[in-house]
Amino acid sequence: MAASSSICRHNLPVSPPISSFHSNKLHTLFRFSPQKDFLNDRNALILRCSLRGNRPEYIPNHIPDPKYVRIFDTTLRDGEQSPGATMTTKEKLDIARQLARLGVDIIEAGFPASSEADFEAVKLIALEVGNVDSGDGDGDGQEVHVPVICGLARCNKRDIDKAWEAVKGAKKPRIHTFIATSEIHMKYKLKMTPEQVIEKARSMVAHARSLGCNDVEFSPEDAGRSDREFLYQILGEVIRAGATTLNIPDTVGYTLPTEFGQLIANIKANTPGIENVIISTHCQNDLGLSTANTLEGARAGARQVEVTINGIGERAGNASLEEVVMAFKCRGEQILDGLYTGINTQHIIMASKMVEEYSGLRVQPHKAIVGANAFAHESGIHQDGMLKHKNTYEIISPEDIGLLRSNESGIVLGKLSGRHALKAKMLELGYDIDGNKLDDLFTRFKDVAGNKKNITDDDLVALVSDEVFQPQEVWKVGDVQVTCGTLGLSTATVKLIDANGEEHVACSVGTGPVDAAYKAIDLVIKVPVTLLDYSMSAVTEGIDAIATTRVLIRGNDSITSTHASTGQTMNRAFSGNGAAMDIVISSVRAYIGALNKMIGFNNRLRTEDPPVKVGVVCG
């Protein structure tokens, strides 16, 4: 895949297409001369970006182009550690395919030793995504990008063997193993001496290589708070043992950008054998500095950056893929020493929406790049500037990330609109939907259009969330009828349809219509759960607005997995989303969505061997 060629718009006015530019004007590069030469300068810069050529050949411990930065996405591993972000195997596979289309270099597909379900998901991704092309070739016969598939493992043989078993079916498999190196972690968590930690790290990297894996990444957990001389020593030892990538994590988001950049520079200058490996960064966002730290790390010499879609992850999250990538794209030439990535940024919006819906973690409106307000302008002064020239208040074009402006196509949807118009409008909003998913969405759209005069973009996004990004159906909502008011108890009658098409009806009373409906559902499904969170919001203004509901549940018969860093078992929570013009129907759809996800996850575990309980990290 060719490196992206568009650049940050704040330096460059609108200009003719690059085909009108002749290569002999390359001498104008960066010569921002008088206005008459400005368009040529822009085209020269675009041409230079496109002339960088294809993504460099993948060599585990070497990047042929020193300006290329590998994107390591850990949405499916660290991202899923966010509370309530549990995803099914199908959802993980869908996201992995989208990450491949996006062009990430490495997909950390999970932590295979944490549970049998995670092992199977990583194995499936290795086979399905790690071997076939992403379907986004240029039609020129060139080989399409296939990402590296990586599995996480603690520094013990069982974890590493399990990770290798999961990823070895990929064309380019990688094992990522780690052990803590800060004094506080070694003393209180590992209860190991520094010498024992070094020996454990060295021997386990060597073990990973002995399995036949020629791509091994090592992370000294909590490197940001580790003794520098100890870091240089342990990193040198794992290099000698065969590590190909050294990942430097700011595990608790403690360092400031200048500190983290200096840490990378010091490691590069003082670690024996460092010239034979790739330096990577992994920055948490506890102080809101993960993106800044990641960029500083790259400036200091890191050539792999670990990120997640929407910045999801443990505690305050990780460095956000879209922020880091667009910073390289927007400021790479001027500030970041010409660094660039292989990301196709026009797939960012779809990836963001997919992760948001499958994880149940809402993107805050003012989130950089992908937030609802990222390209919204309400101030009168800003609106005036935008009307005169978009460059006045936008440094990035929304089209660069796969988002077209509202009504850019002139399509206004209503009850007489057809499938083609709906598909075109969804493409404008960043959703590429067809086949059965488009048919199902069209049916829901016609239902809403018959009851709502004006269909807004937000209405359509809500319907996509409710209809397309849903787990595999175990139970389907048939009919719902409620009575409520001040004269008596609220009553709900619910008809559900099981996977065999059989109908089940139950009636219950409750403190309100939603409570009654949920109790009726429980009578049918008979799976005891605890409702952890319930929230509802109106998509648009007006009495006919669509309501969106999100619920978070946990089964009373807890489904657990092992935490990557602590080794402790975690009770999994499952989220569900629903949308409808009726608030009770919206609530019911969200509850059924969460139950379907939990039941599907539980059914998968029951058909497999029971997971082996994993002990203390690296013990």
Side-chain angles (χ1 to χ4, degrees), residues 67-105:
K67 297 297 184 182
Y68 186 80
V69 179
R70 288 174 179 167
I71 298 298
F72 178 112
D73 183 274
T74 184
T75 301
L76 297 176
R77 200 279 299 169
D78 197 319
E80 205 203 10
Q81 290 178 199
S82 301
T86 301
M87 291 176 271
T88 66
T89 297
K90 176 187 176 298
E91 291 169 342
K92 289 182 178 182
L93 183 59
D94 286 346
I95 291 173
R97 285 174 172 149
Q98 182 62 25
L99 292 173
R101 283 190 286 270
L102 186 62
V104 303
D105 299 274

Side-chain angles (χ1 to χ4, degrees), residues 233-491:
Q233 184 181 0
I234 193 171
L235 293 176
E237 288 296 324
V238 297
I239 291 172
R240 280 190 285 273
T244 53
T245 299
L246 300 182
N247 180 52
I248 310 303
D250 183 20
T251 304
V252 292
Y254 177 73
T255 60
L256 300 181
T258 51
E259 291 178 306
F260 192 74
Q262 191 60 52
L263 171 61
I264 298 298
N266 290 344
I267 288 173
K268 188 175 181 181
N270 295 287
T271 302
I274 196 70
E275 67 278 2
N276 299 317
V277 297
I278 306 298
I279 303 176
S280 172
T281 67
H282 181 112
C283 300
Q284 297 290 138
N285 201 39
D286 296 72
L287 293 177
L289 297 170
S290 58
T291 295
N293 284 345
T294 298
L295 296 175
E296 278 299 307
R299 286 186 67 190
R303 289 299 178 264
Q304 175 182 290
V305 292
E306 302 200 357
V307 292
T308 62
I309 300 293
N310 299 337
I312 67 172
E314 195 80 58
R315 301 183 312 280
N318 291 276
S320 161
L321 179 147
E322 59 274 11
E323 293 175 14
V324 171
V325 166
M326 292 310 293
F328 281 128
K329 184 172 183 177
C330 189
R331 304 305 307 278
E333 290 290 349
Q334 304 104 319
I335 303 298
L336 298 173
D337 305 321
L339 300 179
Y340 72 104
T341 74
I343 295 296
N344 182 346
T345 60
Q346 291 189 340
H347 289 287
I348 283 177
I349 280 292
M350 188 61 178
S352 171
K353 293 178 186 297
M354 184 178 288
V355 170
E356 179 180 21
E357 298 306 330
Y358 282 161
S359 69
L361 300 175
R362 293 287 157 224
V363 174
Q364 59 193 23
H366 54 282
K367 167 75 172 65
I369 313 299
V370 295
N373 296 342
F375 298 99
H377 305 272
E378 187 165 324
S379 162
I381 294 174
H382 287 217
Q383 290 175 341
D384 178 64
M386 285 292 294
L387 289 171
K388 292 174 180 176
H389 201 298
K390 290 184 175 66
N391 294 13
T392 53
Y393 288 103
E394 281 186 358
I395 63 169
I396 297 168
S397 168
E399 291 80 8
D400 280 349
I401 62 168
L403 182 67
L404 299 183
R405 296 180 191 279
S406 179
N407 292 323
E408 191 87 4
S409 63
I411 296 174
V412 178
L413 296 180
K415 63 181 181 180
L416 300 179
S417 300
R419 279 180 175 79
H420 292 300
L422 178 62
K423 179 175 174 61
K425 186 66 176 179
M426 298 319 298
L427 283 171
E428 179 182 306
L429 295 174
Y431 296 96
D432 187 3
I433 301 169
D434 52 23
N436 292 334
K437 289 184 177 180
L438 179 62
D439 293 339
D440 294 341
L441 178 63
F442 183 70
T443 300
R444 290 290 306 282
F445 161 73
K446 295 295 277 188
D447 289 342
V448 173
N451 295 288
K452 197 173 191 293
K453 184 176 181 180
N454 298 314
I455 307 296
T456 68
D457 292 352
D458 290 335
D459 291 330
L460 294 173
V461 171
L463 291 179
V464 172
S465 302
D466 186 43
E467 194 62 45
V468 177
F469 296 117
Q470 286 291 345
Q472 185 173 356
E473 287 185 341
V474 181
W475 293 93
K476 183 178 181 180
V477 179
D479 298 308
V480 179
Q481 181 69 44
V482 298
T483 59
C484 60
T486 59
L487 300 179
L489 288 173
S490 296
T491 305

Side-chain angles (χ1 to χ4, degrees), residues 136-164:
D136 282 331
D138 299 325
D140 56 5
Q142 294 184 359
E143 184 180 355
V144 178
H145 168 62
V146 178
V148 174
I149 305 299
C150 177
L152 183 71
R154 294 163 298 183
C155 274
N156 65 61
K157 287 186 177 181
R158 180 191 173 275
D159 272 28
I160 291 170
D161 291 347
K162 199 78 170 176
W164 178 239

